[in-house]
């Protein structure tokens, strides 16, 4: 009798522990094929082996999720058509990922192959096959996972592809989310996570496209894990929902801790932590490190030139201008190479800072990761003025220019142009100007959407912008240095 009583007490005690459980969720996004650690501020940071070593230190069960853009962005990723990323993620034990806009960079066949190779779930409620219904049968709108005694529902939302995939449609996020949320809640989950490749604040779009507007008025979502904009958001709460974003390039991982009420077992709160993947603090996992080194293209790490100064891909804070040294440098190269009136490069297309010292081919591929080619586009001055205006943010420009100088101010939270000069002369609204830029922008991709209406455009060079920049670095053995700043100036 006594034994039965003790057993009953133990059962009640253990059930109480389950009710009071916390659940850890780890989130990465926009890893873009950064498989290996890199020197950042004197430390070895990032990479899958460091992430694996960190995860091995966790004593409690966890859920590992990725927010998309995992297949494309580095040389090794490109050489494997993105499949090497999937292999790494399989080895780390990801539970699920959603689909980013760059997952189709290597074509539909490779997209389907990569999804089929994944040992983790592909969650994308808004991804549909319009030709053969079974091609994306492995894609689920949501899935529930049992973690530490709690049922966690994860809903995925994909992002529209940067390159077209015939027969695959990415539909509206809001409608798909409402349907998936209804279905997920029928399973009575203890918490609901939205895993999306959209951001809480994407500078390329207005707030109407943000994750906040996406879930407005929808009940039952506890955490939104975002991406795409390469921003970091931690412990941002809106109407009781936690919004988290984890940056890019696998330098960090976010830990989201879900807490449940001791008595009722119901969801109580969530908090997040942004953890640097210090490869010295979390020594590289030997198994993953061996796999990484076996797949590293070592010739990519040989110096081909040098930088005589550090060339930043962002404008220093409080500098008085918002153009970046690296963006200006490349825009100058585009202008000179094409002979155009203006060189234009999208700010988001320049991904890395080049530190003073040796420059390797890998560093160039990481700075310009996508195989864009040069185009020349003819536009009227009034179009150019509208393009510049719509690209201006309070302390940022979506484009970097050569041959163009802009002064602007912010009035009532809106940009207002003070002056635009083209090669030293005031912009003429009726004059035709030639712009040299990359094909992603010229064809109307992302922040270059205004170029969709322009028909007078043509391919200038079959070389990619990555190859163009590499050739230029090799041609300057004395070292490259930052270009002149102060081309986009915010005034009072």
């Amino acid at each position: 009798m006594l034994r039965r009583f003790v057993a009953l007490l133990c059962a009640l005690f253990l059930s109480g522990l389950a009710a009071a459980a916390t659940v850890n969720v780890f989130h990465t996004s926009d890893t873009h094929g950064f498989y290996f650690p890199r020197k950042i501020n004197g430390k070895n940071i990032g990479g899958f082996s460091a992430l694996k070593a960190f995860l091995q230190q966790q004593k409690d069960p966890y859920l590992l999720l990725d927010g998309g853009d995992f297949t494309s962005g580095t040389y090794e990723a490109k050489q494997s058509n993105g499949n090497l990323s999937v292999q790494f993620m399989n080895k780390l034990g990801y539970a699920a990922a959603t689909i980013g806009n760059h997952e189709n960079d290597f074509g539909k066949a490779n997209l389907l192959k990569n999804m089929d190779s994944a040992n983790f779930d592909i969650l994308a409620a808004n991804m549909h096959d319009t030709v053969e219904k079974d091609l994306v049968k492995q894609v689920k709108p949501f899935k529930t996972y049992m973690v530490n005694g709690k049922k966690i529902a994860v809903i995925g939302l994909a992002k529209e592809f940067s390159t077209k995939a015939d027969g695959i449609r990415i539909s509206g996020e809001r409608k798909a989310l409402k349907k998936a949320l209804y279905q997920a809640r029928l399973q009575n989950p203890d918490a609901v996570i939205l895993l999306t490749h959209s951001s809480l604040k994407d500078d390329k779009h207005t707030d109407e496209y943000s994750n906040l507007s996406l879930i407005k008025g929808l009940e039952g979502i506890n955490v939104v894990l975002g991406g795409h904009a390469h921003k970091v958001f931690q412990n941002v709460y809106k109407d009781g929902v936690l919004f988290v974003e984890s940056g890019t390039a696998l330098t960090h991982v976010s830990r989201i801790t879900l807490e449940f009420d001791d008595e009722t077992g119901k969801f109580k709160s969530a908090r997040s932590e942004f953890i640097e993947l210090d490869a010295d603090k979390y020594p590289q996992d030997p198994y993953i490190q061996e796999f990484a080194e076996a797949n590293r293209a070592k010739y990519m790490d040989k110096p081909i030139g040098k930088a005589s100064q550090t060339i930043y891909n962002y404008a220093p804070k409080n500098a008085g201008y918002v153009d970046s040294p690296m963006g200006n440098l490349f825009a100058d190269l585009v202008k000179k190479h094409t002979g155009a009136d203006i060189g234009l490069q999208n700010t988001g297309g320049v991904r890395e800072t080049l530190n003073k010292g040796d420059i390797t081919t890998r560093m160039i591929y990481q700075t310009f990761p996508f195989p864009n080619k040069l185009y020349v586009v003819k536009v009227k001055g009034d179009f150019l003025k509208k393009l510049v205006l719509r690209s201006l943010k309070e302390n940022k420009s979506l484009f970097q220019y050569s041959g163009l100088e802009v002064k602007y101010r912010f009035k009532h939270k809106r940009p207002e142009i003070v002056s635009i000069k083209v090669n030293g002369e005031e912009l003429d609204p009726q004059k035709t100007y030639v712009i040299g830029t990359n094909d992603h922008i010229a064809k109307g991709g992302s922040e270059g959407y205004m170029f969709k209406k322009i028909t007078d455009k043509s391919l200038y060079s079959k070389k990619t912008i990555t190859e163009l920049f590499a050739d230029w670095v090799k041609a300057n053995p004395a070292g490259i240095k930052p270009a002149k700043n102060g081309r986009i100036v915010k005034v009072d």
Side-chain angles (χ1 to χ4, degrees), residues 309-338:
Q309 303 173 43
T310 295
I311 309 173
Y312 295 97
N313 69 327
Y314 55 86
K317 289 184 178 179
N318 305 315
Y321 55 82
V322 299
D323 45 308
S324 77
M326 191 69 211
N328 288 344
L329 182 64
F330 189 71
D332 284 351
L333 180 59
V334 170
K335 183 177 185 295
K336 181 179 180 181
H337 192 73
T338 61

Side-chain angles (χ1 to χ4, degrees), residues 83 86 90 109-120 122 134-139:
N83 196 256
V86 176
N90 285 342
N110 286 304
L111 167 68
L112 297 175
K113 176 184 176 182
N114 290 335
M115 291 194 299
D116 191 54
S117 299
N119 293 338
F120 48 89
I122 303 295
D134 63 339
L135 277 180
V136 289
K137 61 184 178 183
Q138 65 269 60
V139 178

Side-chain angles (χ1 to χ4, degrees), residues 280-291:
D280 298 319
K281 180 180 179 181
Y282 308 110
Q284 297 187 52
D285 177 81
Y287 173 62
I288 302 299
Q289 185 181 19
E290 182 181 356
F291 179 76

Side-chain angles (χ1 to χ4, degrees), residues 217-398:
L218 300 181
E219 295 183 358
I221 298 173
N222 304 111
V223 177
V224 177
L225 303 178
H228 182 59
H230 296 187
K231 292 182 178 291
V232 176
F233 289 111
Q234 299 291 316
N235 294 310
V236 177
Y237 299 91
K238 303 287 185 181
D239 299 325
V241 179
L242 172 64
F243 290 82
V244 175
E245 295 181 34
S246 304
T248 184
L250 201 59
T251 61
H252 293 70
V253 63
S254 292
R255 172 165 44 209
I256 301 90
T257 303
L258 309 178
E259 296 184 345
F260 300 87
D261 187 87
D262 288 350
E263 296 182 1
T264 66
K266 292 184 178 180
F267 175 83
K268 185 170 65 173
S269 64
R271 65 183 185 275
S272 67
E273 180 184 3
F274 197 49
I275 301 167
E276 184 180 62
L277 294 173
D278 186 335
D280 298 319
K281 180 180 179 181
Y282 308 110
Q284 297 187 52
D285 177 81
Y287 173 62
I288 302 299
Q289 185 181 19
E290 182 181 356
F291 179 76
E293 289 304 313
N295 287 281
R296 181 198 288 266
K298 294 179 175 57
Y299 60 86
M300 294 288 290
D301 297 310
K302 294 180 179 179
I304 61 169
K306 63 182 180 180
S308 55
Q309 303 173 43
T310 295
I311 309 173
Y312 295 97
N313 69 327
Y314 55 86
K317 289 184 178 179
N318 305 315
Y321 55 82
V322 299
D323 45 308
S324 77
M326 191 69 211
N328 288 344
L329 182 64
F330 189 71
D332 284 351
L333 180 59
V334 170
K335 183 177 185 295
K336 181 179 180 181
H337 192 73
T338 61
D341 299 308
I342 299 160
L344 182 151
Q345 171 65 20
N346 53 314
T347 304
V350 184
R351 296 296 179 91
E352 293 280 286
T353 287
L354 288 178
N355 292 315
K356 180 180 178 180
D358 288 339
I359 297 174
T360 66
T361 306
R362 181 181 303 284
M363 293 163 67
I364 293 174
Y365 267 82
Q366 290 175 175
T367 305
F368 303 100
F370 305 115
N372 300 127
K373 297 176 181 178
L374 285 184
Y375 260 59
V376 289
V377 186
K378 293 182 180 179
V379 302
K380 289 289 187 181
D382 58 351
F383 171 91
L384 185 56
K385 183 176 181 179
K386 290 177 183 176
L387 179 74
V388 171
L389 180 63
R390 293 183 184 182
S391 72
L392 294 172
K393 306 297 176 182
E394 188 164 5
N395 292 297
K396 184 177 180 179
S397 170
L398 297 183

Side-chain angles (χ1 to χ4, degrees), residues 46-227:
F48 278 110
S49 56
L51 175 58
K52 179 68 173 181
F54 167 76
L55 292 172
Q56 286 176 330
Q57 295 186 6
Q58 307 309 306
K59 297 179 180 179
D60 298 321
Y62 60 82
L63 195 63
L64 180 58
L65 305 173
D66 186 84
D69 272 6
F70 50 86
T71 56
S72 176
T74 60
Y75 181 79
E76 282 84 359
K78 177 183 176 182
Q79 291 302 104
S80 70
N81 293 318
N83 196 256
L84 188 55
S85 299
V86 176
Q87 294 179 54
F88 271 106
M89 294 170 72
N90 285 342
K91 291 178 184 299
L92 263 76
Y94 275 82
T98 194
I99 296 295
N101 56 297
H102 285 293
E103 252 63 81
N104 188 51
D105 282 3
F106 309 111
K108 180 179 175 181
N110 286 304
L111 167 68
L112 297 175
K113 176 184 176 182
N114 290 335
M115 291 194 299
D116 191 54
S117 299
N119 293 338
F120 48 89
D121 296 309
I122 303 295
L123 305 179
N126 59 332
M127 185 174 180
H128 312 281
D129 196 318
T130 61
V131 182
E132 298 179 50
K133 302 299 181 183
D134 63 339
L135 277 180
V136 289
K137 61 184 178 183
Q138 65 269 60
V139 178
K140 306 175 180 70
F142 73 94
K143 187 171 179 180
T144 57
Y145 301 88
M146 291 300 299
V147 188
N148 208 20
K150 292 297 178 183
K151 185 187 291 186
I152 311 299
V154 182
I155 301 170
L157 288 176
K159 193 75 173 177
E160 186 176 355
F161 296 130
S162 296
T163 53
K164 188 176 180 180
D166 291 330
I168 293 181
R169 180 170 63 92
I170 307 296
S171 65
E173 295 171 306
R174 173 79 174 185
K175 183 177 179 181
L177 173 58
K178 290 174 72 173
K179 181 179 179 181
L181 180 59
Y182 173 77
Q183 294 173 334
R185 292 184 69 184
L186 290 177
Q187 298 192 9
N188 297 314
D190 295 299
V192 177
I193 294 173
L194 173 59
L195 180 65
T196 175
H197 195 71
S198 295
S199 178
L200 181 64
K201 185 174 177 57
D202 187 346
D203 293 331
K204 299 177 185 179
H205 302 288
T206 63
D207 288 343
E208 66 182 286
Y209 296 101
S210 75
N211 281 340
L212 182 60
S213 61
L214 176 63
I215 70 163
K216 187 175 182 180
L218 300 181
E219 295 183 358
I221 298 173
N222 304 111
V223 177
V224 177
L225 303 178

